[in-house]
Amino acid sequence: MEPICLVEPVPSSGALRVNPAALGLLRVLARPLHVLAVFGPCGTGKSFLMDRLVGQGKGFPRSPGIWVWCLPHPTQPDQALVLLDTEGFSEQEGDETKLSRLFLLNVLLSSVFVYNTRSEDDPQRQLDRLTYVRDLPRVVRVLDESSWENSVVLSSVLPDFVWCLRDVAPDPCLDEALEAMDHELDSALRFPQDSDDSPSSCVQRLFPCRKLFRFCSPRGDGGHGEPPSPADQLHPMFQEQMGRFKDYALSRSPKTVVGNRAVDGAFLADFLEHIVDLLSRDEPVFLSEICNGLQQEGSNYSMGYPVDPMGGAPARRAAATTAQLSVPEPKREHMVPLQASRPALPVLAKVAPGTAQPGAMEEPMCLIENSPDGELQLNQAALALLQSVRQPVVVVAIAGLYRTGKSYLMNRLAGKDRGGFSLGSTIQSHTKGIWMWCLPHPRRAGHTLVLLDTEGLGDVEKGDGKNDTWIFALAVLLSSTLVCNSLGTINQQAMDQLHYVTELTERIKVKAAGEGGRQEGEDSAEFVRFFPAFVWAVRDFTLQLQLDGREITEDEYLENALKLKPGSSQRAQLYNLPRECIRQFFPARKCFVFVQPAGRRDLPRLEELQEAELEPEFREQVARFCQHVWETSKPKTIPGGHVVTGAMLGNLAVTYVDAIRSGAVPCMESAVLALAQIENSAAVGEAVAAYEEQLGRRAALPTESVRELLELHAQCEREALRAFMARAFKEDDCRFQGELMRRLEEQKQELCRRNELASSGRCWAALLELSDELENRICQGVYSVPGGYQRFLDDRQHMVERYRQVPGKGVKAEEVLQEFLQSKEAVAQSILQTDEALTEKEKEMAAERARAQAAEREQQVLKQKEAELQQKLEDQERSYRENLRQLETKLEDERKKLLEEQGKMMDQKLKEQEALLREGFQEEAGRLESQIRRLQQQNEEIRKPSWIQTALGVLTNVATIMLPGIVGKAAGAVANVFRRLF
């Protein structure tokens, strides 16, 4: 096809309108789409660039609006290439509203967004001309209600951002440097930090992948001293630069929408119409709402299959076509600012076919790093890898002073003799930020071991204690086991160096303001719910494990070092503070001591030493340490005992790092609630997918009765609810369970419709075949003789009897038969009136009998419909009771886990109180007593029937909206449950 106008401005009003002819061309594209859009100032060669991309001399016209060109993809035969060329904006003020809308359409429709400018004076100024980018978070949202900052959520669904800087001075060295840095935009510019609202900052914050490509003048006559090329020949350097840009642009993933689902042309056309309509009315664009609506309306979309984040072809369409419309996982690599010593990206572990584990890595990679301006930021490539892990994760983090051998212990936990986390052999800190290594757990099948090696604390070269504190806080927040690594002995110096633990209450809060939580002096018991188990690893230990003349264990050594000093002097308070924090925040504690691994001269080459060259005692100590961590470290959980997967851990990391970057104090409860929104939305999609999968296995339409069909629905619904309950948590308002009710009720209605269609088709086919002989006799005039009417009735009755013997007709058997006989009634009356063997009186009586029989059949059909309607209403009540039953079971399980969690905390508090009393600290033991009483009160509240009653009551209110047929019956069902609870 030739390019055609897709969106054009209305001359009289400036509004935008969509060209129906272009929409029609889009709708015939049934393959996944690779959509590349170009936007930029006038006269910068945008159309020329797009023409060259597909090897055309001239294609796009220079006309207002957005033009579309649909072509076969040159390298991906299973995809279609869609190019969008937009009118340019000028230096002078124009219709800013129109241009902003055109920009928003380009971004929302594309999988690769190209910003094309000339290299005039300061390149930074050219980027800052893209002022329309500020409108993105204001106009476009992913979710209607999101507890995350919108720009964070929005960035997960936006396309690659590619800046094409045109007509630059030819510079092969600069091109090679840019190529070596993988064309990262961040590496070439300094993004301003003084204004978060600058276009440059908005681009950095909103677009997950940012690239820069330089182009010299296409014909070498751009005024840079190059000799002009022949008119029909492009400059060789431009051709080389164009080749690199083309390779990148055409290798990216196809266009996806919320939920990381590829789309076809029909979906994109409808998606475009919805957005243009909303923009024309100056209404916000809620992407999740649009996609959800289109998914429900458009059953013919070829969409819903996940996309390979590395840019490969989409997989086979999955069962979860109506999967969650939640905050999605990152779908492509996020290129981060390049450091001078940036390591290569990790490779996926090479394992036997069929055994590959998502997220398994052969080597570590940086997860959280320091940006050039000193702020913490997530490496999106590592984040995407972590979020691909769907298994529960056991997260082991290590923290401690730099150059104390932390990385060596982590490599041993990874089962590696050499390689892995960088060791280093000088006085400089080697690990920067937090590095991650995801591996199959060596002891827990179906679990992933996530090792987090943190930047060495106290690095004199860094000189930023605040950064150290945040690194330590993140290690605490993300891990299920925290290893504290130190040298020598556990003395006051070691305690002073671990002052970060005393700052946790300043850097972390449990509850958000206005949610009933204390902001000052929050109960340490609340922190314990979120904090990991604690292991102190003491390296190069030279003392004898003896106390008062007797041998002691490593754990006893730790507990003795944590004893408090009596007195209220400032010196005593400073002595006691880190010990009190460790005792309160980390009641589950363990200690390991390690001798020096080798002689002093061998220490610098520790990574090169063979196992046999290490001290035997050190090897035995390391083996015991690894064994303990592998066998006792539990999966990462959040309060309530809900197990965290790699995807959930990644979302927690995003929430915490974003809070730190914004200057806020990370709130653990808020992070869990934000995570719950994501997971519960995903649970709805997973449950619907489970329903469809079960239905695909079990369904054999048409069924003989509605009751049989409803039983099929009930079986599939039961499995869907199990899938939802297994994943959902913190569902206090039952909003997502209510949404699942609605979705499954719609599935049931659609199932009934399909069943009726299948039944009708089969019934009509049977009747047409069986009535063929009867029709032939009518046409031959067999019944147009005296006595023919009775013969017609006999033959018709014989046909009806044969029809009733046909198996598998389904629920519409009688209704279709009635319709068929009714359609033949005129023929029957004609035969009756021409039968000369009957008197007029007999004809009237026969006609009356026919009407009575028809009325009787009609009445039977109505009774059947009424019975079916009643069965469907009863099924709604059954569905409600099943929802109630499964929710009650889930709540009972949650209550059990919560009481177990509370019980462990109570035991730990009692143990700590006993120790304080034994040591003579009455006042501190008294403070613990108040915490213990509070835990006891909480236990009493949890044990009350009202703890479950309240949630069931909320579900009842939701169900009466989603399932109108249960109104009046729900209260009785809940009452029955309540009676069982008492």
Side-chain angles (χ1 to χ4, degrees):
M1 61 166 281
E2 294 295 321
I4 183 173
C5 184
L6 177 63
V7 179
E8 58 186 349
V10 180
S12 58
S13 65
L16 300 179
R17 65 187 175 197
V18 183
N19 180 3
L23 290 181
L25 292 172
L26 272 180
R27 287 195 168 99
V28 301
L29 301 177
R31 290 174 291 176
L33 306 180
H34 185 89
V35 186
L36 196 149
V38 67
F39 187 85
C42 296
T44 55
K46 302 188 309 300
S47 301
F48 178 84
L49 188 71
M50 299 295 270
D51 294 343
R52 298 305 307 177
L53 189 67
V54 292
Q56 299 289 328
K58 185 176 181 181
F60 279 105
R62 280 57 172 171
S63 301
I66 300 176
W67 285 67
V68 62
W69 196 358
C70 301
L71 301 156
H73 198 292
T75 60
Q76 300 290 341
D78 58 344
Q79 298 177 26
L81 178 63
V82 177
L83 303 180
L84 301 178
D85 188 15
T86 306
E87 68 176 276
F89 57 88
S90 62
E91 287 279 354
Q92 293 75 30
E93 290 187 4
D95 188 344
E96 295 300 300
T97 300
K98 179 194 73 172
L99 290 169
S100 175
R101 290 171 177 173
L102 291 175
F103 167 80
L104 293 174
L105 285 173
N106 272 269
V107 170
L108 295 178
L109 294 176
S110 63
S111 50
V112 177
F113 173 82
V114 178
Y115 179 55
N116 188 81
T117 69
R118 286 188 183 276
S119 176
E120 299 173 355
D121 51 71
D122 181 13
Q124 182 80 45
R125 179 178 172 274
Q126 296 299 320
L127 185 59
D128 284 333
R129 289 181 67 185
L130 191 63
T131 56
Y132 313 105
V133 73
R134 296 170 178 154
D135 296 333
L136 257 175
R138 180 181 61 82
V139 177
V140 181
R141 300 186 72 88
V142 177
L143 302 175
D144 191 350
E145 297 178 2
S146 174
S147 56
W148 283 14
E149 179 186 359
N150 183 48
S151 62
V152 176
V153 187
L154 186 59
S155 68
S156 64
V157 297
L158 292 185
D160 290 9
F161 182 95
V162 179
W163 184 13
C164 288
L165 193 58
R166 306 289 295 280
D167 294 351
V168 300
D171 190 338
C173 294
L174 189 55
D175 282 354
E176 289 178 9
L178 191 61
E179 180 76 3
M181 292 184 292
D182 208 11
H183 291 272
E184 292 176 10
L185 176 58
D186 294 17
S187 63
L189 290 178
R190 181 178 297 277
F191 287 87
Q193 300 301 319
D194 55 337
S195 173
D196 284 341
D197 196 42
S198 70
S200 301
S201 295
C202 290
V203 167
Q204 186 186 39
R205 186 169 67 251
L206 293 172
F207 290 87
C209 178
R210 304 174 294 278
K211 296 287 187 178
L212 172 65
F213 286 86
R214 300 172 72 256
F215 298 84
C216 67
S217 176
R219 306 208 179 271
D221 53 2
H224 300 296
E226 288 293 305
S229 301
D232 58 346
Q233 181 180 346
L234 296 176
H235 192 285
M237 184 175 292
F238 177 87
Q239 294 185 49
E240 186 175 326
Q241 293 164 336
M242 186 69 206
R244 286 194 287 263
F245 167 71
K246 183 176 180 179
D247 289 344
Y248 173 83
L250 296 180
S251 67
R252 306 308 290 162
S253 301
K255 168 65 182 172
T256 59
V257 291
V258 177
N260 198 20
R261 291 168 301 170
V263 303
D264 61 1
F267 183 95
L268 193 70
D270 291 345
F271 185 66
L272 167 62
E273 285 190 294
H274 276 72
I275 295 174
V276 170
D277 178 62
L278 291 169
L279 293 178
S280 299
R281 292 186 279 120
D282 286 326
E283 292 185 7
V285 177
F286 294 112
L287 297 179
S288 181
E289 181 179 318
I290 294 173
C291 294
N292 190 25
L294 291 177
Q295 185 69 8
Q296 292 172 0
E297 297 168 8
S299 58
N300 293 323
Y301 296 139
S302 300
M303 65 167 292
Y305 33 83
V307 173
D308 181 353
M310 301 309 291
R316 177 180 56 84
R317 182 175 179 177
T321 303
T322 56
Q324 69 269 21
L325 292 172
S326 64
V327 179
E329 298 169 13
K331 59 180 180 291
R332 54 178 66 87
E333 178 181 331
H334 178 186
M335 307 309 294
V336 297
L338 186 69
Q339 306 298 326
S341 58
R342 179 178 177 178
L345 292 176
V347 292
L348 295 179
K350 298 178 178 65
V351 293
T355 63
Q357 177 173 318
M361 301 158 57
E362 282 190 346
E363 58 188 27
M365 70 184 302
C366 189
L367 175 64
I368 299 172
E369 60 190 356
N370 289 300
S371 64
D373 58 5
E375 286 191 341
L376 295 177
Q377 65 182 17
L378 281 157
N379 178 349
Q380 296 297 317
L383 179 63
L385 197 63
L386 178 60
Q387 290 183 317
S388 71
V389 178
R390 297 298 176 181
Q391 295 179 336
V393 288
V394 177
V395 189
V396 181
I398 193 166
L401 292 183
Y402 74 107
R403 305 305 308 124
T404 55
K406 302 186 307 300
S407 299
Y408 176 83
L409 283 184
M410 298 304 271
N411 287 336
R412 299 301 299 180
L413 285 175
K416 302 291 183 181
D417 294 331
R418 50 181 46 86
F421 292 111
S422 176
L423 299 184
S425 58
T426 69
I427 61 171
Q428 293 180 310
S429 172
H430 249 234
T431 303
K432 300 295 184 182
I434 298 180
W435 283 66
M436 174 188 73
W437 201 351
C438 299
L439 300 156
H441 199 288
R443 297 291 187 272
R444 294 176 181 266
H447 288 66
T448 293
L449 177 63
V450 179
L451 301 176
L452 300 179
D453 188 12
T454 65
E455 177 176 341
L457 307 176
D459 185 355
V460 293
E461 292 185 0
K462 182 172 56 183
D464 185 1
K466 182 180 177 182
N467 184 81
D468 285 350
T469 305
W470 283 128
I471 291 288
F472 184 81
L474 285 169
V476 170
L477 289 170
L478 297 176
S479 63
S480 52
T481 294
L482 175 68
V483 180
C484 174
N485 193 75
S486 68
L487 288 178
T489 62
I490 304 178
N491 54 17
Q492 187 57 36
Q493 182 183 0
M495 289 292 178
D496 291 341
Q497 290 169 345
L498 197 60
H499 65 88
Y500 309 101
V501 74
T502 68
E503 302 174 23
L504 285 175
T505 54
E506 300 173 13
R507 301 297 179 184
I508 303 170
K509 62 181 178 179
V510 175
K511 295 180 182 292
E515 296 181 7
R518 298 194 314 280
Q519 301 309 299
E520 297 293 337
E522 289 182 288
D523 191 342
S524 64
E526 295 300 316
F527 284 90
V528 168
R529 295 180 191 275
F530 295 86
F531 281 10
F534 184 85
V535 177
W536 197 320
V538 187
R539 310 293 292 278
D540 298 352
F541 187 76
T542 57
L543 301 179
Q544 296 294 319
L545 284 174
Q546 291 184 350
L547 181 65
D548 298 331
R550 67 178 182 89
E551 291 190 359
I552 59 174
T553 65
E554 295 157 305
D555 293 343
E556 288 174 326
Y557 170 69
L558 172 60
E559 295 307 313
N560 184 68
L562 293 177
K563 282 185 177 180
L564 306 181
K565 179 181 292 186
S568 58
S569 66
Q570 183 177 5
R571 184 175 180 181
Q573 291 177 10
L574 290 174
Y575 178 90
N576 290 338
L577 180 58
R579 292 168 172 82
E580 287 178 337
C581 290
I582 292 173
R583 290 169 69 150
Q584 290 181 15
F585 295 152
F586 306 105
R589 301 184 290 271
K590 184 73 179 172
C591 181
F592 289 90
V593 298
F594 303 83
V595 300
Q596 192 166 294
R600 183 176 181 83
R601 292 186 176 181
D602 288 331
L603 286 179
R605 59 186 193 93
L606 183 61
E607 191 173 9
E608 302 173 9
L609 296 180
Q610 298 296 323
E611 183 78 5
E613 297 179 81
L614 299 176
E615 288 291 335
E617 186 178 1
F618 176 77
R619 297 203 307 265
E620 185 272 331
Q621 290 165 335
V622 170
R624 283 196 302 109
F625 167 78
C626 293
Q627 196 74 8
H628 170 82
V629 172
W630 288 334
E631 294 185 353
T632 66
S633 294
K634 297 180 179 178
K636 173 72 175 174
T637 59
I638 52 181
H642 198 81
V643 177
V644 172
T645 63
M648 296 168 67
L649 184 69
N651 287 328
L652 285 174
V654 169
T655 305
Y656 290 138
V657 171
D658 285 343
I660 293 171
R661 287 175 61 89
S662 68
V665 177
C667 174
M668 293 181 285
E669 188 175 69
S670 296
V672 170
L673 291 176
L675 182 62
Q677 294 288 309
I678 299 170
E679 285 296 301
N680 294 343
S681 179
V684 173
E686 189 174 303
V688 173
Y691 177 94
E692 292 179 340
E693 182 183 2
Q694 291 293 321
L695 192 62
R697 291 179 183 176
R698 303 168 186 255
L701 304 182
T703 60
E704 287 300 320
S705 66
V706 168
R707 190 173 300 279
E708 182 183 341
L709 184 75
L710 294 177
E711 178 57 34
L712 170 65
H713 165 74
Q715 294 169 1
C716 299
E717 181 188 51
R718 200 172 299 121
E719 295 303 316
L721 275 171
R722 287 197 185 106
F724 175 81
M725 296 296 177
R727 186 167 186 178
F729 66 100
K730 289 282 182 186
E731 247 272 90
D732 297 339
D733 58 3
C734 295
R735 179 162 64 95
F736 290 97
Q737 189 172 354
E739 172 65 11
L740 179 60
M741 280 180 166
R742 183 187 67 79
R743 296 273 293 274
L744 293 183
E745 180 65 17
E746 290 176 352
Q747 290 276 353
K748 182 182 75 175
Q749 293 172 5
E750 174 63 17
L751 179 62
C752 290
R753 187 188 69 82
R754 287 168 46 205
N755 191 53
E756 290 176 356
L757 285 174
S759 175
S760 294
R762 188 166 295 183
C763 291
W764 277 108
L767 283 170
L768 291 174
E769 181 180 349
L770 293 171
S771 65
D772 188 58
E773 185 178 353
L774 188 67
E775 292 290 339
N776 289 336
R777 290 180 178 178
I778 293 172
C779 293
Q780 294 169 5
V782 172
Y783 304 120
S784 301
V785 296
Y789 180 67
Q790 186 59 46
R791 185 177 178 185
F792 167 77
L793 293 179
D794 293 341
D795 288 349
R796 189 180 68 176
Q797 182 60 31
H798 179 64
M799 183 210 69
V800 170
E801 290 172 356
R802 290 176 61 196
Y803 169 77
R804 295 191 191 281
Q805 293 172 2
V806 174
K809 296 188 298 297
V811 296
K812 301 285 282 186
E814 291 302 318
E815 185 176 349
V816 171
L817 176 61
Q818 168 65 8
E819 291 175 4
F820 177 81
L821 295 177
Q822 190 68 32
S823 69
K824 302 301 180 183
E825 190 57 34
V827 176
Q829 288 300 314
S830 176
I831 294 173
L832 172 62
Q833 297 304 322
T834 58
D835 192 339
E836 298 177 355
L838 298 175
T839 65
E840 290 300 321
K841 182 67 173 176
E842 288 173 331
K843 290 179 181 179
E844 289 179 10
M845 292 174 61
E848 183 62 31
R849 279 197 303 272
R851 285 192 293 270
Q853 290 171 355
E856 183 179 355
R857 289 193 301 269
E858 185 69 30
Q859 193 64 30
Q860 289 176 350
V861 171
L862 289 175
K863 286 182 178 180
Q864 179 184 345
K865 288 185 175 181
E866 289 177 1
E868 291 174 353
L869 179 60
Q870 182 61 32
Q871 290 170 11
K872 290 177 182 179
L873 292 175
E874 290 173 356
D875 184 75
Q876 282 193 353
E877 183 180 355
R878 177 214 54 77
S879 175
Y880 164 68
R881 290 180 182 275
E882 180 65 23
N883 273 270
L884 207 63
R885 184 189 67 79
Q886 292 209 27
L887 177 59
E888 182 188 1
T889 301
K890 179 180 177 64
L891 291 172
E892 289 285 6
D893 183 60
E894 287 181 352
R895 173 156 66 180
K896 180 180 177 182
K897 290 179 180 178
L898 195 53
L899 288 172
E900 288 177 357
E901 185 180 282
Q902 295 275 111
K904 291 178 182 178
M905 291 172 58
M906 181 86 73
D907 292 342
Q908 292 164 349
K909 294 291 181 185
L910 289 170
K911 182 180 177 181
E912 180 65 17
Q913 185 185 44
E914 181 183 348
L916 288 170
L917 289 171
R918 189 169 55 249
E919 296 168 21
F921 293 92
Q922 304 292 334
E923 184 178 346
E924 287 77 3
R927 286 199 296 267
L928 269 182
E929 181 63 32
S930 64
Q931 296 179 15
I932 292 170
R933 282 200 301 270
R934 192 174 299 114
L935 285 173
Q936 290 171 338
Q937 292 170 358
Q938 291 174 355
N939 286 348
E940 291 173 3
E941 290 297 320
I942 294 170
R943 289 191 178 95
K944 287 181 179 179
S946 59
W947 193 83
I948 290 180
Q949 288 176 7
T950 303
L952 297 181
V954 171
L955 180 62
T956 299
N957 294 334
V958 171
T960 54
I961 298 173
M962 300 300 177
L963 305 174
I966 68 164
V967 175
K969 299 179 180 180
V974 176
N976 290 336
V977 173
F978 287 174
R979 282 194 289 272
R980 293 202 309 272
L981 293 174
F982 281 101

